[in-house]
Amino acid sequence: MSMHMRDSHRLFLQSFMSRGLLDAKEVRQLFKTVCLKFNEPTSDKEEDRKLQLLEFVRTINVNIRPFHMEIKKGVSEDEGVSYYCLVCTNESAITRLASDYTQSELEFFKKLVDQIVDNEGEIGSTSAVNIVDKLDKNMKKMSRQDAQVLLQKLESAKWILIHKGTGQVSLSTRCLLELEQYILDVYGAEDENLKCNMCNKLCIKGQSCDSCQTKLHLHCASRFFHNKDNPKCPNKNCGSPWPHQVPKKGPSGDTQ
Amino acid sequence: GRQTAEAVQTDFVKFIPEEFAEKLVTFIGGQRPGETSGSVRISGNGWAALGRSTQKLFCKSPPLHIMSGTFQRGEFEGKKNPIIRCD
Amino acid sequence: STQAQKAAASMDPADQEKRLHDLVQYLLIMDQKKLPIKKMDINKHVLKEHRGAFPVMMKKAGDALLQVFGIELVALEDKLKGTYILVNRVDTDTEDLGNRDGQAGQDFTPVEWPEEDDAKTGLLMVILSLIFMNGQVMLDSYMWHTLKKLGIDTDFNHEVFGDSKKLITQEFAKQGYIEYTRQQNSDPPVYEFRWGQRAKQEISRKNCLDFVSQLYERDPEQWTSQWQAVLEEGEAMGTTSQD
Ligand SMILES: [Zn+2]
Ligand SMILES: [Zn+2]
């Protein structure tokens, strides 16, 4: 099986470069579009198409991995929906040359992540804007309006989510995927559990056992406790009754 | 003969920038003087729509947007033993 | 050059590979602001003590960018010699696919740009078209006069573009989309607008003429001097069609 890139792969990759994040439906649409454009046949059967798509993405990942890039799949902490993101997989002197954001804007963002992780996954818009007061005095000053504009920019770029109704600010699936290692390294101290017991991935927003810190994503909890009358902590050394309401299984979105 | 035919062909249509601007305003759907008080106005949506329809005429490479590693891990208040990576 | 080849050969193969990977990542990141990338910076941030191998490394990086991303690394010339830009060589247009497939709802555009970018592209298209159709050069006074007719007055803050004069004469110029040069010995200064090297790489005269022709609902051949310029472009490319 050739791992050679063709124009179809390149357009697929460029789409990810420009969009950052796609949901499962968009990925399927994109795959269909690029195959159509470059006259590459796709199977009529959905199952075979899925395999074709997996192989397609694998080819791209093999080719971009040397450049510290990867197309990764993540699950949103709010709704358990699958998303696919092109992420940067390293931190270096070169990544620090990125210029989408200024030094102060990045300082703001760093503190935003700080507060969001500290607050179980979301903070209010006002608290977010007030971060300008906490910036280092040596940094270029930011006004509240600057903060508003920055938050909008971060949202458009799909790094954060701002709830339309409540204005709550949280980190997007793209952000969690790309900064997973960073967050685990910086905030994953011994007494703070930031990993989901079921899927072993980063978990900021979820449900915790009162006795032992074991944490579960909402979607992992809903799957694990499905049809269980007396939900108990999955930690075998604990077994305490699970103190939260089990989230209902949402619309299945997409498997894989 | 041939020379006369060529003479007729010379600069059959002349480009007039003002005319071009006029046609653009109509095309984008901007407001004209007289329709409202003030001069021509093309909205942000108008300009963006024009841009969207002409993006395909440019061979622009989509830039890479990253967040990982764009800032120093640096100092953290109150956090125990964060790993400060150096590369 | 053999000197560069010697320098490259003297590198530890593993180290050379790592630098190549860093170089590709560096070039993609530096493309964010669309400012031409300087050889000096490439040497400072990536190649460092191995800057002697610059041509070899750049060739390898260019090959990788084209092979994996479909992006071409282009060396600029003349005043911008020693700088590089990235140009897309993948055809990203999927608008006509709906007809081919027969299925409706092909509303997915693979490559999307931020709204701010779209607006600037719209303005840029207008400016480049004006320059080209005017005989490939336009005086600044005429440009400002024409832009006023589109609601852009450089004396006032523009609701979409802010400081439009700065955007046009600095940002677009620095990015290489336009050349904004002062006429020699002009006092008071008179400036001329021309297509910049990036514009020449990213958009063809043909596309420009087609755009204008569609707007006027005319055949492109009716613009005789501009059509002639398109034919010359075709000859220079060694092909008459865009493929
Ligand atoms: Zn989980
Ligand atoms: Zn427990």
Side-chain angles (χ1 to χ4, degrees), chain A residues 196 198-200 216-217 219-220:
Chain A
C196 168
M198 291 266 25
C199 68
N200 207 38
L216 292 175
H217 287 116
H219 53 270
C220 291

Side-chain angles (χ1 to χ4, degrees), chain A residues 209-214 233-235 238-240 242:
Chain A
C209 172
D210 282 339
S211 313
C212 75
Q213 294 279 330
T214 294
C233 176
N235 182 356
C238 174
S240 310
W242 194 249

Side-chain angles (χ1 to χ4, degrees), chain B residues 7-78:
Chain B
V8 170
Q9 283 299 314
T10 315
D11 273 352
F12 183 59
V13 175
K14 188 168 160 57
F15 180 73
I16 301 165
E18 291 89 337
E19 191 186 358
F20 176 65
E22 270 280 305
K23 291 196 187 282
L24 262 174
V25 174
T26 309
F27 177 68
I28 303 173
Q31 289 169 313
R32 276 214 175 67
E35 281 177 12
T36 54
S37 62
S39 53
V40 172
R41 183 191 163 257
I42 298 171
S43 69
N45 285 339
W47 281 112
L50 176 63
R52 258 195 309 280
S53 68
T54 51
Q55 286 286 12
K56 65 175 188 239
L57 302 176
F58 290 87
C59 300
K60 268 196 334 197
S61 55
L64 191 59
H65 298 291
I66 62 172
M67 195 54 93
S68 169
T70 58
F71 47 86
Q72 294 275 12
R73 289 187 170 201
E75 295 296 316
F76 288 86
E77 306 128 18

